[in-house]
Amino acid sequence: MTNEEKFIAKSKMFRLHFQVTEDEIDLLLLGKNVVYKGVESNDRELTLQLIEAYPLIYGLDQYKFQKDETTYPLWDDLPEATKKLIQDRPYTASDNVGEAGLTNTASYVILAIKHLETGTIFSESELTRCLPSPLNQGITIYQVSGMLKGAFKKLRKSRKFKNDNDEDVIDPLYLIHKPMDERLIGKAKRKLERD
């Protein structure tokens, strides 16, 4: 078994132990510019950035994670973001919310980013990839009015990359500049429960 295969096998064991989906792993990795979903099935290449970022969601560094004797961390030793996501699971890309989701975009966005710390920078494509269908097909995030007003801010810079069709894509970047408060998270949950 190669080092890559060992890493993938251990990553899957940790994910299953904490009963976290691949979509939820991608939510925890939001802002790191890496994608986990598809690594276990070899649909996506394992990158050095992912090897460095993945263990952090369990409060471990990559070297400790890769040691054979390393076991699952205790609940109290998990980072707060991981505990928050596990305790109060968001809607993820594996869900299908249909047309109702299009009228509640802000609620889904708030629940997807509620675990992020102040200072986290994430891109629009990273976020939309983690939202339920049809929102994961691409949405525009309006944070100047409604529930998203003041939750985070759009930066003046963007990330540029080429898509699968070799076209240039400009991916807006956002910054969490204050923590999500419980009142806002509660309002987003209530709105989705009503609809």
Side-chain angles (χ1 to χ4, degrees), residues 8 10 20 22 37-38 42 54 69 80 83 99 103 108 122 128 133 147 175 189:
I8 292 169
K10 192 163 194 177
V20 182
E22 291 181 68
K37 188 173 183 174
N42 292 321
Y54 181 81
E69 66 272 9
E80 285 303 313
K83 288 196 270 192
E99 292 299 312
T103 59
Y108 287 104
F122 62 93
T128 54
S133 178
M147 287 190 351
L175 169 73
K189 286 181 191 171

Side-chain angles (χ1 to χ4, degrees), residues 33-138:
N33 198 20
V34 294
V35 179
Y36 180 81
K37 188 173 183 174
V39 168
E40 292 175 14
S41 58
N42 292 321
D43 292 339
R44 186 173 299 282
E45 186 179 322
L46 181 64
T47 63
L48 180 59
Q49 292 88 347
L50 182 59
I51 290 171
E52 291 171 351
Y54 181 81
L56 297 175
I57 65 177
Y58 303 108
L60 303 169
D61 65 30
Q62 74 181 70
Y63 304 106
K64 182 162 181 149
F65 180 78
Q66 290 178 322
K67 288 182 180 174
D68 292 337
E69 66 272 9
T70 300
T71 57
Y72 309 115
L74 298 172
W75 177 258
D76 291 340
D77 296 334
L78 289 174
E80 285 303 313
T82 304
K83 288 196 270 192
K84 192 171 185 177
L85 185 130
I86 291 171
Q87 286 176 326
D88 192 13
R89 295 177 186 275
Y91 294 87
T92 60
S94 58
D95 298 321
N96 186 342
V97 296
E99 292 299 312
L102 297 174
T103 59
N104 294 314
T105 303
S107 295
Y108 287 104
V109 169
I110 288 166
L111 293 179
I113 64 172
K114 71 181 186 311
H115 67 283
L116 296 178
E117 296 179 14
T118 305
T120 302
I121 296 174
F122 62 93
S123 72
E124 194 164 278
S125 67
E126 283 179 297
L127 176 62
T128 54
R129 184 184 71 238
C130 299
L131 294 174
S133 178
L135 302 177
N136 61 4
Q137 306 305 312

Side-chain angles (χ1 to χ4, degrees), residues 1-9 46:
M1 190 181 267
T2 68
N3 286 341
E4 280 189 3
E5 290 170 334
K6 279 185 187 175
F7 184 90
I8 292 169
L46 181 64

Side-chain angles (χ1 to χ4, degrees), residues 121-127 139-141 143 153-161 169-175:
I121 296 174
F122 62 93
S123 72
E124 194 164 278
S125 67
E126 283 179 297
L127 176 62
I139 56 163
T140 301
I141 302 170
Q143 85 280 10
K153 67 179 181 181
K154 188 173 184 177
L155 299 177
R156 292 182 187 264
K157 57 185 179 179
S158 299
R159 192 174 67 214
K160 296 177 178 74
F161 64 93
V169 176
I170 298 173
D171 197 11
L173 294 174
Y174 298 89
L175 169 73

